[in-house]
Amino acid sequence: VPAYDYVFCITAMASRSPMFENATKASFAILADCKPARAAAGIAGPFALRIVDSKNLFSGAGVLVAEAAKLARAGAHPHDIRRRLDELRENICGYMVPGDLYYIRNRGIKKGERSVGLISYAIGSALDIKPVILCYRGETQPVAKVRNYERAVERMFEHVARQIDHGIDTGHVCVSYGGDPDYIDQLPGYPALAAAAQRNNIEILRSLMSATAAVNVGAGCVAVAYGGELRSFGE
């Protein structure tokens, strides 16, 4: 099936971003107007557009995008891709450590983000305590509070490395960073993640965090996600 006949638009979780709602509204207009445009261009056949709420953020949405791209390159039927994405989005485990609690507290709160309350913000800022935040099935919550940024990032990467060794449901893990992606190699705990991925033939997809994400969570934020079983942090 040619790529232009079936389009997937994968958005950030609807509970934290208006992107899904806006894209859904836009899709109605696109589907209503595309037939004459396709006919004028000499393109025959049906056209379908599917808007998918990833139920995750940052690297979590990336896991879904990467899975869709792999299936499309392998020649999977669009309906099979759709079923896989609907299944996978319920099992994406995304984690992030913010570089600065200010952005999570003051910018995120406007979008319904409650992972860092006022008291946690005050204490965390004073004592340099950083949360490890879990994104899962459209919800976010802190799963650990760790003294200093480096140690928090290390614990997050080490946790995901253990999940890879336990077994995950995707052949890739996504990592995004609010800064130069070449610096990811130097982040604490990343060597353990890379070693686990190599042992288990898992691809690590690294990227620069999007401008939109960085505005809301601040420079230095690190996010990592995979598809698979959710286990207690530290297991």
Side-chain angles (χ1 to χ4, degrees), residues 6-91:
Y6 206 112
V7 174
F8 292 95
C9 175
I10 299 172
T11 75
M13 63 169 69
S15 59
R16 295 292 183 273
S17 168
M19 189 180 300
F20 175 76
E21 181 180 356
N22 292 340
T24 298
K25 291 178 180 177
S27 72
F28 298 148
I30 293 171
L31 290 171
D33 298 339
C34 72
K35 189 172 182 179
R38 284 168 60 83
I43 302 173
F47 174 81
L49 174 59
R50 166 73 167 168
I51 312 300
V52 180
D53 174 8
S54 70
K55 297 190 176 183
N56 220 285
L57 296 169
F58 314 140
S59 295
V63 170
L64 212 59
V65 172
E67 186 76 0
K70 288 182 178 181
L71 290 171
R73 286 195 295 267
H77 191 280
H79 295 306
D80 293 330
I81 297 176
R82 175 178 174 174
R83 282 194 293 269
R84 172 59 175 158
L85 297 184
D86 286 345
E87 172 192 82
L88 180 59
R89 67 179 181 165
E90 299 295 333
N91 297 287

Side-chain angles (χ1 to χ4, degrees), residues 134-152:
L134 167 68
C135 304
Y136 185 70
R137 295 182 179 176
E139 299 293 337
T140 58
Q141 62 175 310
V143 291
K145 296 178 181 179
V146 186
R147 189 71 177 267
N148 78 55
Y149 168 84
E150 288 76 14
R151 180 56 183 148

Side-chain angles (χ1 to χ4, degrees), residues 210-233:
S210 71
T212 300
V215 163
N216 287 288
V217 297
C221 181
V222 186
V224 57
Y226 62 92
E229 182 181 349
L230 176 66
R231 299 182 180 91
S232 297
F233 190 79

Side-chain angles (χ1 to χ4, degrees), residues 177 179-187 190 206-208:
Y177 177 61
D180 185 349
D182 288 340
Y183 184 70
I184 292 175
D185 287 323
Q186 303 176 44
L187 290 170
Y190 183 78
R206 312 188 324 176
S207 67
L208 171 68

